[in-house]
Amino acid sequence: MDVAVVGGSVAGLQAALTLGRARRRVVVFDDGQPRNRAAEHVHNYLGTVDPAPGELLAAGRKQLAAYGVEVRNARVEDVTADEDGFVVGGVRVRAVVLATGLRDELPDVPGVADGWGRTVVACPHCHGWEVQDRPLVQLGMRGVPERSVARALLLSRWSDDVVLCTDGDQLTSSQLVLLDKAGVIVRTERVVAVRPENAKVRVELSGGSELVPRALFVVVRQHQQSELAEKLGCRVVDGAIVTDDSGRTSEPGVYAVGTTANPALLAIGAAGHASTAAVAVHADLLELDLGGGR
């Protein structure tokens, strides 16, 4: 095989598609646990009409078959590297594309996880349109108030009824001025619990008061889902695999795509990044082909 793609969400499948169309022999390993699996729909993805995550990925897998790409339903826990390339899941390959994605750490508030992907979401660009002009709450992550403020300001472009719950964090006077200018109301009480319902969510604050927005947006911390990058010796900074503009990591023959390398990417951006990286993989392998490398 030429390339092993580890991870079969939108970035991994797009990398495999581009490589398959370049007539590379590709195998995809996927454990069926995409980051967005809890979401009801994938929004803001050109050419689709809000499919469920599973529907989008199933269509992608079906598309790969025409190009001879093999998909294995397996989780890769380790990769062996030697002078001849890599062994991934028992398959020898010449290059590895890491598309293992991220894991979201949610705010430590009871009930947040229960509504995750439905009435509790993170990204306004992914979910803001569907709840525009409705009452919305932005829940901060304790200890990083600057991120909470930035998200509340962003969310205010989708609705003029936005409340920022800092969950006990105090804000600076300059932050309060910006929030006031954007029309965002600030509540600094601790958040006791979140109770998701079908088309709304109840946010209980200390002292007994309650907010009932259409949706609760939360700040999350992101972590790599897999330790493969570190095991391969790739440089990782602030939870992201460091790459050049074409997805090349610090280790020759290893590439990282999508949110694995850039956590800020939307789904369609992750796919685009993966396609760019796959072009680089093909070019690098061609150079090795012509130069007599592995």
Side-chain angles (χ1 to χ4, degrees):
M1 284 283 184
D2 290 314
V3 185
V5 178
V6 185
S9 192
V10 291
L13 295 183
Q14 181 62 57
L17 175 63
T18 301
L19 287 163
R21 287 177 56 85
R23 304 187 70 182
R24 291 295 179 182
R25 297 168 300 157
V26 183
V27 58
V28 177
F29 293 90
D30 181 49
D31 64 0
Q33 298 294 311
R35 176 188 178 194
N36 64 350
R37 61 188 179 277
E40 293 182 319
H41 302 283
V42 178
H43 300 297
N44 201 10
Y45 199 107
L46 185 65
T48 68
V49 185
D50 302 337
E55 293 173 347
L56 181 61
L57 299 184
R61 283 193 175 204
K62 183 177 180 180
Q63 191 174 3
L64 292 180
Y67 305 102
V69 175
E70 179 183 352
V71 179
R72 296 191 180 188
N73 299 317
R75 182 178 178 84
V76 175
E77 298 288 357
D78 202 5
V79 174
T80 301
D82 56 36
E83 61 183 11
D84 296 320
F86 307 88
V87 176
V88 183
V91 180
R92 177 164 288 282
V93 296
R94 302 167 66 199
V96 177
V97 175
L98 297 176
T100 45
L102 302 173
R103 171 178 57 83
D104 291 308
E105 176 189 344
L106 304 179
D108 185 19
V109 175
V112 166
D114 297 336
W116 182 237
R118 297 178 298 281
T119 53
V120 179
V121 293
C123 175
H125 288 287
C126 299
H127 302 284
W129 176 267
E130 285 66 36
V131 294
Q132 62 180 299
D133 298 325
R134 304 293 296 277
L136 305 175
V137 169
Q138 174 68 59
L139 172 60
M141 173 79 75
R142 286 196 297 272
V144 285
E146 63 282 354
R147 292 186 60 195
S148 306
V149 170
R151 281 307 180 100
L153 292 172
L154 181 64
L155 192 58
S156 71
R157 300 305 89 186
W158 277 269
S159 173
D160 59 5
D161 187 355
V162 175
V163 177
L164 168 60
C165 291
T166 70
D167 199 17
D169 280 342
Q170 299 300 313
L171 304 182
T172 66
S173 58
S174 59
Q175 289 172 332
L176 290 170
V177 167
L178 277 175
L179 290 164
D180 181 66
K181 185 176 181 180
V184 176
I185 297 171
V186 177
R187 300 292 294 267
T188 59
E189 304 101 305
R190 292 296 297 267
V191 179
V192 176
V194 169
R195 305 192 187 284
E197 299 179 4
N198 287 333
K200 60 186 176 182
V201 56
R202 296 185 182 277
V203 182
E204 299 179 7
L205 305 177
S206 61
S209 59
E210 180 181 78
L211 301 171
V212 188
R214 173 61 181 82
L216 175 65
F217 287 76
V218 300
V219 173
V220 300
R221 290 191 178 97
Q222 298 159 327
H223 308 276
Q224 291 288 321
Q225 281 206 46
S226 169
E227 298 178 353
L228 289 179
E230 293 180 343
K231 289 181 178 180
L232 284 165
C234 300
R235 186 179 174 217
V236 179
V237 175
D238 294 332
I241 301 173
V242 177
T243 70
D244 68 7
D245 292 341
S246 296
R248 299 179 183 91
T249 72
S250 57
E251 294 298 310
V254 182
Y255 306 76
V257 300
T259 58
T260 306
N262 184 349
L265 290 173
L266 305 183
I268 197 163
H273 181 266
S275 182
T276 297
V279 170
V281 175
H282 177 58
D284 291 347
L285 289 177
L286 177 59
E287 183 178 352
L288 291 170
D289 292 338
L290 299 176
R294 67 170 185 253

